Amino acid sequence: MKLTLPLLVALVSLPSFAQGPAKNTTAARQQIQGVIEDFRQSIIQRDKKKFLGLFLHDNVIFQPVQGEALLKQLRAKNPQASKAPTQQKITPSSFIADVAADKEPSEEKFSNIRIETDGDVAAVSFDFTFQLGERVINRGQEHWLLVKSDTGWKIASVVYSNND
């Protein structure tokens, strides 16, 4: 029994030794906040160059997922409408081109921002509203995966809900 207690203590503390010291991610979080703000500002300013510079490449996935109410409306018009359409070819370039082509100003507003990072990769989640002029044309949640590249943090994928 005398060996059992020391063995138990060693086993219980093993995970804390295996994890190593916690990495300070304060700088990474601040840089990612900057990416979020640059994304927001580039939409407001219709700044294509700034917007495209936020992405790892132009084939980054922009994946919408239709909310239940919107899906019901879409299926009333087209019974084959998909909850998570994959045939759409939304790219960073096509998205910002659509924003720039609108006569009314656009803005995406973020709230409840959550950032998880180890300093090399990150997951960002937030609630959003997308406005065209004074009208909210979409709201929901959005999730980004980011990587820290040689030129800074870059968005590698975007998944969002379509609720309006």
Side-chain angles (χ1 to χ4, degrees):
M1 269 316 224
K2 289 182 181 182
L3 286 177
T4 306
L5 184 57
L7 182 59
L8 181 61
V9 170
L11 289 174
V12 169
S13 61
L14 187 60
S16 64
F17 293 124
Q19 291 176 354
K23 199 171 185 182
N24 184 347
T25 59
T26 303
R29 289 174 185 280
Q30 290 172 342
Q31 293 163 359
I32 292 165
Q33 285 282 0
V35 172
I36 296 166
E37 181 59 18
D38 286 348
F39 186 96
R40 190 180 81 78
Q41 286 296 326
S42 63
I43 290 172
I44 293 169
Q45 299 165 0
R46 302 173 187 213
D47 186 335
K48 185 175 182 177
K49 183 177 179 181
K50 183 178 190 176
F51 186 81
L52 295 177
L54 300 172
F55 294 88
L56 189 58
H57 49 73
D58 193 48
N59 292 320
V60 162
I61 294 168
F62 266 64
Q63 179 62 56
V65 179
Q66 315 304 8
E68 292 304 319
L70 180 59
L71 183 59
K72 186 176 180 179
Q73 291 173 9
L74 293 172
R75 285 188 173 157
K77 297 176 186 174
N78 175 7
Q80 303 304 314
S82 175
K83 180 157 182 70
T86 58
Q87 71 278 7
Q88 292 183 254
K89 293 295 180 196
I90 303 170
T91 65
S93 291
S94 68
F95 176 83
I96 196 66
D98 288 347
V99 166
D102 276 322
K103 291 182 172 62
E104 295 182 84
S106 300
E107 182 176 2
E108 187 167 358
K109 295 183 179 182
F110 308 103
S111 62
N112 195 23
I113 298 170
R114 301 163 307 280
I115 300 170
E116 293 292 328
T117 185
D118 68 356
D120 294 313
V121 296
V124 177
S125 300
F126 47 82
D127 299 324
F128 77 94
T129 58
F130 195 90
Q131 290 184 221
L132 185 59
E134 296 297 317
R135 299 181 332 271
V136 172
I137 62 169
N138 194 14
R139 71 180 76 243
Q141 286 193 352
E142 193 164 322
H143 305 276
W144 299 350
L145 294 178
L146 293 92
V147 298
K148 186 162 187 190
S149 72
D150 291 331
T151 57
W153 286 98
K154 301 295 179 184
I155 301 168
S157 69
V158 176
V159 177
Y160 59 96
S161 51
N162 262 336
N163 290 306
D164 286 330

